[in-house]
Amino acid sequence: ATKHLFFAMHYCFYGMVTVLSSIFISRVAAYIPSASRHLAHSSKPKHKLLSQALMMSQQQKQHLVSDGATNTTNTSSDEPKVPLYLAEGIFSVEKPSNWTSSDVVSYIRGILERDAKGRGAKVARPNKRRRGGNKNVIKVGHGGTLDPMATGVLVVGVGSGTKNLQNYLSGSKAYIAGGRFGEETDTLDTEGKVVRTEDHDHVTEQKLLEVLPQFTGDIMQIPPIFSALKKNGKKMYEEARAGKTAEDLGIEARPVVVHQLELLPANDDDSTTGGLPSFTLSVECGGGTYIRSLIRDIAHKVDSCAVMTSLVRTKQGQFELYDALPKCDWNAENIYKAIEKENANRETESNAS
């Protein structure tokens, strides 16, 4: 009787261990696929129950993975990515007076950022320190600086259009510029400090007409110290604000091209163009030409001095003033329409060629 009881207890204990082992291994196999695969394919499983449990666990795991993949696919298809831009390319705006070109870029970027956020797009602010590039950043740039006091055409690039702006930095531009004889400032316009005065009574329209041809074609020009150009690694206007002069920096003349230069008729109804000492020039030139410097040099040529009193950019590349987007129309809808219009024009020209 004792012997039979011993064998009964032995088989009972052995059976409990087998069942508990099967449950434990099936739980572990659910989290460790490699163990499941190894044990399920073992050539000599110790117990059929253990082998079946492992195979069932592996099938359940595959089923869960399959369901997960299906759910992931459905989620991604149900939630399409919202585009950062509705259109990318270039267009032109009419820059207001007393705005820098960078002010315009920041303002346009803000409009497009608010529009993108309103549509549910993920938008990040520009950060030069961010590693891996600026993802989800609204990219906006301009194609050629205009002086703060100047108005007129400013080419703006959005998204991939910023890559095409370099062409406009060196491209042809047209201006209507006002000048006045008698004084010269450190900024070469009316916003600077007077640094020189000269008599101008001897200056006549005939004398102006005689010297203008000397400033057409390829000429050498010293840019103004109050400009965004760099000297010794620093922007010159920053050096000027620190008290340095053009002589201190040793600014060198550089080649520029003036395609057309014309003295416009005086307008008796306008005090700024009603005749000498005020005058108005029509200028068409290449990139890098400073109209302030041009007026300064013309005045020196007739033994006087002058400042620029006004500047309007009437054309930049294919963009003209009449088609530029005025400040009152700066909103996301009009900006994207202007980009799409220019993209369509470029496509038409490409197909025609």
Side-chain angles (χ1 to χ4, degrees):
T2 304
K3 183 176 181 181
H4 290 297
L5 179 61
F6 173 78
F7 281 113
M9 293 178 63
H10 174 76
Y11 285 116
C12 182
F13 177 76
Y14 185 78
M16 290 177 62
V17 170
T18 301
V19 172
L20 292 174
S21 298
S22 301
I23 295 173
F24 174 75
I25 293 176
S26 65
R27 293 292 182 89
V28 173
Y31 295 98
I32 309 177
S34 60
S36 176
R37 288 192 299 269
H38 174 73
L39 291 173
H41 293 85
S42 176
S43 59
K44 296 181 179 180
K46 294 183 179 179
H47 306 285
K48 291 183 178 180
L49 182 61
L50 176 60
S51 177
Q52 292 174 355
L54 291 175
M55 293 178 67
M56 289 174 63
S57 174
Q58 186 176 16
Q59 292 172 355
Q60 291 174 354
K61 184 68 175 178
Q62 292 174 348
H63 181 68
L64 290 173
V65 172
S66 176
D67 286 349
T70 303
N71 291 337
T72 301
T73 303
N74 293 337
T75 301
S76 61
S77 61
D78 292 341
E79 298 180 6
K81 184 178 179 181
V82 178
L84 199 58
Y85 311 97
L86 295 181
E88 299 180 60
I90 56 177
F91 69 108
S92 65
V93 300
E94 184 178 349
K95 188 189 86 64
S97 180
N98 298 320
W99 283 52
T100 67
S101 300
S102 295
D103 290 340
V104 174
V105 167
S106 297
Y107 194 88
I108 297 295
R109 182 187 295 114
I111 291 174
L112 299 183
E113 285 178 346
R114 290 188 292 272
D115 172 73
K117 289 178 181 178
R119 292 184 286 103
K122 293 183 179 180
V123 180
R125 292 292 296 169
N127 186 350
K128 294 181 179 180
R129 297 182 180 180
R130 185 183 289 119
R131 294 181 179 179
N134 287 316
K135 295 182 179 179
N136 299 322
V137 171
I138 297 288
K139 296 181 180 180
V140 182
H142 67 78
T145 302
L146 265 177
D147 294 333
M149 71 173 289
T151 61
V153 179
L154 181 68
V155 176
V156 177
V158 173
S160 60
T162 57
K163 299 177 181 179
N164 300 322
L165 291 174
Q166 187 63 35
N167 297 332
Y168 295 91
L169 292 173
S170 57
S172 177
K173 304 173 180 67
Y175 299 90
I176 299 296
R180 185 178 64 243
F181 288 108
E183 61 183 18
E184 185 175 310
T185 67
D186 53 358
T187 59
L188 302 183
D189 57 29
T190 55
E191 298 184 345
K193 180 178 65 176
V194 176
V195 295
R196 177 180 177 182
T197 58
E198 292 286 350
D199 180 52
H200 57 80
D201 293 337
H202 63 284
V203 180
T204 65
E205 288 189 8
Q206 185 59 36
K207 283 190 175 182
L208 274 177
L209 292 172
E210 290 175 356
V211 302
L212 291 186
Q214 300 178 41
F215 294 93
T216 57
D218 296 321
I219 64 173
M220 298 298 291
Q221 183 184 79
I222 297 177
I225 187 172
F226 278 89
S227 67
L229 297 176
K230 289 186 177 181
K231 182 72 174 179
N232 300 324
K234 295 183 179 180
K235 292 182 178 179
M236 291 200 296
Y237 71 80
E238 294 176 348
E239 297 280 60
R241 290 171 180 171
K244 293 186 178 180
T245 65
E247 291 73 20
D248 295 333
L249 296 181
I251 303 175
E252 299 175 352
R254 60 180 194 160
V256 297
V257 58
V258 177
H259 303 294
Q260 176 266 335
L261 180 60
E262 180 183 356
L263 178 66
L264 297 181
N267 183 359
D268 295 333
D269 297 330
D270 189 342
S271 59
T272 61
T273 60
L276 297 173
S278 297
F279 60 96
T280 305
L281 299 173
S282 173
V283 185
E284 185 174 350
C285 57
T289 306
Y290 281 89
I291 307 302
R292 286 177 288 158
S293 295
L294 184 63
I295 289 175
R296 172 201 62 197
D297 296 343
I298 291 173
H300 289 178
K301 202 67 177 178
V302 293
D303 299 320
S304 186
C305 61
V307 293
M308 186 180 73
T309 57
S310 64
L311 183 66
V312 180
R313 183 188 281 165
T314 58
K315 185 178 180 181
Q316 184 175 6
Q318 73 269 30
F319 296 98
E320 298 194 42
L321 183 58
Y322 67 83
D323 205 29
L325 204 61
K327 169 67 171 56
C328 59
D329 290 337
W330 292 2
N331 57 57
E333 181 180 0
N334 288 334
I335 290 171
Y336 284 129
K337 282 183 178 178
I339 293 174
E340 290 172 347
K341 179 181 177 181
E342 179 58 25
N343 288 345
N345 290 340
R346 291 166 67 92
E347 184 176 356
T348 301
E349 293 175 358
S350 177
N351 293 336
S353 60

